[in-house]
Amino acid sequence: MRVWFLSAGLALMCMAQNAAAGTVLIVGDSISAGFGLDTRLGWVSLLEQRLKQEGFDDKVVNASISGDTSAGGQARLPALLAEHKPELVILELGGNDGLRGMPPIQLQQNLASMIDSSRQSGAKVLLLGMQLPPNYGKRYTDAFAEVYGKLADAKKIPLVPFFLDGVGGHPDLMQADGLHPAAGAQGKLLENVWPTLKPLL
């Protein structure tokens, strides 16, 4: 009888642990997809390792696609939410919108829709901000960068103001194309995100 109680207790503990474990869904572009890298070296893989090291059981689903825009992410999101039922959604989109010169208001509307859909599904949202190279002109780059802060304030969600802080503009941390972070930059990307991400787990 004692053995049975012990077994039952262990089973209940395992069930409780599994119930507590959540899913982190990352919807991003090439930066989170690990373009040009062995994906095992990307910041998302480093995040998975960090979670295990710090005792979190959360599962990470990386739904990032190289070249994706905010419109593409918005179109993909409903199916991703239905399939994975995440507790946390990390939005890392907008860079390709900016590089293509799309109107910042369009980016803002697409991201706002993704934030609303995620929250309606019961998920928390973390927004990763982006900035553009100065050659796109001050007026456009300022309007683009402001989108993220405006959304975070309006929607009351946590924001990493510039995901590539300390990486963008540093040739030694970028791949030859000057657009994608190199393997040596992936740890920095994780450190940019982790302090804001950890309290949401």
Side-chain angles (χ1 to χ4, degrees):
M1 182 68 76
R2 174 188 259 178
V3 173
W4 185 87
F5 278 121
L6 285 171
S7 298
L10 286 170
L12 286 171
M13 285 176 62
C14 290
M15 287 171 65
Q17 287 181 339
N18 289 335
T23 296
V24 177
L25 174 65
I26 301 175
V27 185
D29 52 33
S30 54
I31 298 175
S32 294
F35 177 86
L37 304 174
D38 180 335
T39 55
R40 293 173 295 182
L41 302 177
W43 83 270
V44 176
S45 292
L46 298 181
L47 171 60
E48 292 177 303
Q49 295 171 29
R50 177 70 61 86
L51 290 172
K52 291 177 182 177
Q53 290 167 0
E54 300 216 5
F56 293 101
D57 295 324
D58 299 78
K59 174 186 176 184
V60 177
V61 175
N62 190 0
S64 302
I65 297 178
S66 293
D68 206 7
T69 62
S70 61
Q74 181 187 19
R76 295 192 293 120
L77 185 60
L80 292 170
L81 293 173
E83 178 180 359
H84 300 291
K85 297 176 174 57
E87 277 67 37
L88 173 62
V89 175
I90 301 177
L91 298 179
E92 182 273 300
L93 287 168
N96 290 311
D97 297 60
L99 294 176
R100 298 177 188 183
M102 295 180 179
I105 187 62
Q106 192 174 78
L107 168 64
Q108 185 169 329
Q109 291 169 349
N110 292 339
L111 289 176
S113 175
M114 295 181 75
I115 292 166
D116 291 343
S117 296
S118 298
R119 296 171 87 177
Q120 287 166 9
S121 76
K124 301 174 185 177
V125 180
L126 172 58
L127 184 61
L128 306 188
M130 296 298 295
Q131 296 178 17
L132 294 175
N135 58 299
Y136 277 75
K138 180 173 172 53
R139 183 177 178 183
Y140 183 74
T141 56
D142 285 353
F144 177 89
E146 288 171 0
V147 163
Y148 297 93
K150 287 178 179 178
L151 277 173
D153 289 342
K155 301 294 184 180
K156 302 292 189 294
I157 60 170
L159 167 71
V160 175
F162 182 31
F163 182 35
L164 297 185
D165 187 33
V167 175
H170 295 266
D172 56 320
L173 294 177
M174 301 296 287
Q175 296 181 41
D177 61 10
L179 295 174
H180 296 95
Q186 300 301 310
K188 174 61 175 169
L189 296 181
L190 175 59
E191 294 309 320
N192 287 346
V193 174
W194 183 249
T196 310
L197 168 59
K198 185 177 179 180
L200 300 174
L201 298 172

